[in-house]
Amino acid sequence: MKYLIYMILLFSSMNPKIIFDFNKNSDVQDWIVVDDAVMGGESSSTFILNDDGFGVFEGSISLENNGGFSSVRYRFQKIQVKEYTSIIIKLQGDGKEYQFRIKSNSGDYYSYIAPFSTSGEWQEIEIPLKEMYPSFRGRKLNQPNFSKDSIEEITFLIGNKKKEKFKLLIDKIELK
């Protein structure tokens, strides 16, 4: 029993690891927008740092020319994730559905995905790493869920199969 209590205390006291903490001095030039225009679609989006120091991902989704998605990705030096169980994202959405994606290697053709809903209010989204499933071009792959030792890319994506405007404010992304 003592061992169990010790382990609970050890893991509950582990410090979160910041992946990105937006503030008025953040450099967002490494956040890259990728819209369906890469395959002929007509969706468009932007990613900026607003005056309050939040990352703002916004735009409009078009279904023209087989389009239907917008995304923003961030690549970074590998972060070891073995000691962490979840990703926590502090954000304010617009009531729409989004996906959070990670890659262990930025060159992988597939991503590990977790869909999430936004409420229109500020919220903390907790995504268990082991529940993120592998997917490529909207199709779930017949492979195990995320169990890698590191990540080096994160992505926010919207693709709800409908024409819509969207706006997502991001404050912080961290491992817990």
Side-chain angles (χ1 to χ4, degrees):
M1 187 64 170
K2 280 185 180 179
Y3 180 74
L4 179 61
I5 292 170
Y6 172 75
M7 293 305 290
I8 291 170
L9 289 173
L10 177 68
F11 284 107
S12 65
S13 65
M14 193 166 51
N15 290 331
K17 168 87 173 157
I18 301 293
I19 296 174
F20 205 97
D21 188 3
F22 292 92
N23 61 63
K24 291 181 181 184
N25 299 315
S26 294
D27 180 357
V28 296
Q29 71 180 11
D30 291 334
W31 287 81
I32 308 297
V33 167
V34 180
D35 295 324
D36 57 25
V38 298
M39 36 189 259
E42 296 181 11
S43 300
S44 65
S45 65
T46 58
F47 188 78
I48 62 160
L49 186 69
N50 72 8
D51 291 340
D52 294 322
F54 300 119
V56 181
F57 174 45
E58 68 180 321
S60 60
I61 302 299
S62 169
L63 301 179
E64 298 300 314
N65 295 333
N66 295 315
F69 78 88
S70 286
S71 69
V72 61
R73 77 169 178 232
Y74 175 60
R75 290 183 178 159
F76 44 87
Q77 292 292 320
K78 277 193 186 293
I79 295 174
Q80 295 301 311
V81 297
K82 288 183 274 198
E83 300 142 18
Y84 300 97
T85 59
S86 298
I87 293 180
I88 308 291
I89 309 166
K90 186 174 179 190
L91 54 75
Q92 182 182 35
D94 48 14
K96 294 182 172 65
E97 304 286 318
Y98 292 85
Q99 291 180 5
F100 183 73
R101 299 171 164 227
I102 61 174
K103 285 187 176 186
S104 180
N105 294 300
S106 61
D108 288 346
Y109 71 93
Y110 60 92
S111 298
Y112 291 93
I113 296 177
F116 66 92
S117 300
T118 61
S119 66
E121 304 293 324
W122 281 101
Q123 61 193 118
E124 273 193 8
I125 307 290
E126 182 166 358
I127 299 171
L129 288 167
K130 67 181 179 185
E131 291 181 15
M132 298 186 78
Y133 61 88
S135 180
F136 178 65
R137 293 189 178 158
R139 290 186 174 85
K140 188 173 181 179
L141 302 177
N142 187 19
Q143 295 179 20
N145 283 2
F146 185 82
S147 63
K148 307 286 185 175
D149 292 339
S150 62
I151 60 173
E152 66 179 12
E153 181 178 303
I154 58 174
T155 301
F156 290 91
L157 181 139
I158 183 167
N160 296 322
K161 299 181 178 160
K162 60 183 167 182
K163 180 180 175 180
E164 62 185 344
K165 292 190 181 304
F166 68 91
K167 185 173 185 178
L168 189 64
L169 276 69
I170 310 165
D171 181 24
K172 186 188 304 185
I173 307 153
E174 64 186 357
L175 289 157
K176 179 180 130 190

